Amino acid sequence: MFAKLAHTGILIAALGVAGCNDSSMKDFAPEANKPLPDKILADMKAKGMIRTSSVMARIFKEEGKLEIWKAKTNGRYDMVASYEICKWSGKLGPKYTEGDRQAPEGFYTVRPAQMNPRSNYHLSFNIGFPNAYDRANGRTGANLMVHGACSSSGCYSMTDAQIEQIYAFGRDAFQGGQTEFQIQAFPFRMTAANMARYRNDPNYDFWKMLKVGYDNFEVTKVPPKVDVCEKRYVFNQVAADGQTFNPTGACPATTQPDSLKSAYNAYQTTYDTAFNGALKASVPAPKPTIAGIKEASIVSDWSKKRARGERVPIDPPSLNSDGSVTETARMGRIDSPTGRKMAALDAEKAAKQKAEEQRLAAIETAKAQKEAAKAQALAEKEAAKRAAEAPVATATIAAPSEAAPAAETQAANADESRVSKLKNKLLGMFGG
């Protein structure tokens, strides 16, 4: 059994050695032959790595990271470089079908023939989708890459400078005798906190399966041996003599070293405690995830229409939790006679709709003006009516009082009497 484990590389870093395939390497474009920077080479040396030692890659979608790990002289791997992923398309979750624009998740293998030095995206390598697990589960798609040019439609896209280094890691490892390297693609770092965040997601069972491989690497720091049986991944298992792994058949009897079992169980115990604590903690809200094959099929149909040149919304449709579909109103490009015809029909329909809206608006405006005029006339009529019914206010002049002349006559008679008395008095004094 130990011989089998050594051969598969579970406990040691050495992989099968094969000669360099000159036919696949000699005609590389200049950018494919650029050496790694001196700083990276110095870091590798400090960690006990050589330039041509074995390599593997890890991808984390949510964190947007691509990590490069290399084997040290003791056989275990250590991270030597980490890159920000420029773009990846789709949502968290696996790729289901051709055209769903999902970047794959799972365990994939890259061989020298999958390296493309003359890529339309600067440099690239095919990650190997679909693998045995994907095929067993009826998943389809092709040409899923890690490439440059920072443009993605289901791939993991890097900048040109980044892909030159990533490509160089693979190239150097192949030159050193590594026959294939592993790519582990995850939705997120599979920590207790993150698993707790996504425990209600429809993709959770798939992610729990991937986590077994994730945990095996965390425990051993060696890429796990990956097989598929019963349409599921199995990791670091050795089939009994005479038995094999059939991706769609029953899993064979397997064995595993006691030391690995013990280390894995200890790791899992620590994880379980952290997971239970995370259930009670406040954590960030989950990111959007693909809602299974149903949403994948909707997006795939959109992709097919777009590929035919039909005019479709600029962004892929999205399936909501209630089963409804959300589409953006902004329409995409027109790149075919069919697309241009659809655009013309859409424009004609939009023009008719706009004309009808304007006609209805004019009718509503005229109606509103008529109602306003009617209301004003009614108001004026009511005002006039109230004015006519109001009482007229008049000024009253008092008649001259009859007592006034009498008072004046009495005053005049009194004056005459006093004058007469004065006259008689004077006459008596002077003998008149």
Side-chain angles (χ1 to χ4, degrees), residues 377-398:
L378 181 61
E380 292 175 353
K381 181 177 180 182
E382 288 295 325
K385 181 178 179 181
R386 287 194 296 271
E389 293 175 351
V392 179
T394 56
T396 303
I397 301 174

Side-chain angles (χ1 to χ4, degrees), residues 10 210 300 326 385 426 432:
I10 296 176
L210 295 188
S300 178
T326 298
K385 181 178 179 181
L426 291 174

Side-chain angles (χ1 to χ4, degrees), residues 111-127:
R111 300 179 177 89
Q114 292 163 238
M115 306 284 281
N116 184 2
R118 300 186 183 279
S119 171
N120 291 328
Y121 300 94
H122 196 62
L123 294 170
S124 68
F125 53 85
N126 191 311
I127 70 171

Side-chain angles (χ1 to χ4, degrees), residues 91 202 289 291 294-295 298 318-327:
K91 301 178 179 180
T289 66
K294 185 174 181 180
E295 181 172 12
I298 293 171
S318 181
L319 183 65
N320 302 316
S321 57
D322 62 359
S324 62
V325 177
T326 298
E327 292 184 330

